[in-house]
Amino acid sequence: MFTAKVTTVGNSLGIVLPREILARLRVDKGDLLFLVESPLGFEMTPYEPAFAAQMQHAEQVMRSERNVLRLLVDTPPEQAPATGARPSPERSTK
């Protein structure tokens, strides 16, 4: 278990974290930490919870649709299915 000391920083209060905690969190001066409320209190994380959830969902989709992604990588652009986007107009070179 680690402790953190609440101290005065200017007109505000701040928390001093031990170096070992900073190393484990992989954060340095100026980095953001997110405090997430949980049933046990607050959890401190360097990762934005909403972004982490989006990435977890993206990884699940990439695993479940692996074959589709592989086909997209292996398909030359001229053979790729139309996406509904209009081709860019060609400029004349007079």
Side-chain angles (χ1 to χ4, degrees):
M1 181 170 85
F2 293 93
T3 60
K5 183 177 182 179
V6 179
T7 185
T8 303
V9 179
N11 291 331
S12 301
L13 296 177
I15 299 173
V16 178
L17 298 173
R19 289 187 191 276
E20 185 176 345
I21 295 297
L22 296 173
R24 285 187 181 187
L25 289 170
R26 295 186 180 122
V27 294
D28 205 352
K29 182 178 178 181
D31 291 344
L32 286 177
L33 289 174
F34 297 90
L35 294 173
V36 181
E37 193 167 5
S38 74
L40 298 176
F42 283 92
E43 296 178 19
M44 187 180 307
T45 176
Y47 308 107
E48 184 176 3
F51 179 73
Q54 289 173 346
M55 289 305 298
Q56 185 177 18
H57 181 70
E59 289 172 358
Q60 289 171 349
V61 169
M62 286 186 279
R63 270 194 303 278
S64 66
E65 302 298 335
R66 182 178 299 160
N67 292 334
V68 173
L69 294 172
R70 189 169 288 126
L71 285 173
L72 288 173
V73 169
D74 294 339
T75 305
E78 60 274 0
Q79 294 178 0
T83 61
R86 291 189 230 158
S88 60
E90 294 184 30
R91 297 182 184 201
S92 61
T93 55
K94 293 182 184 178

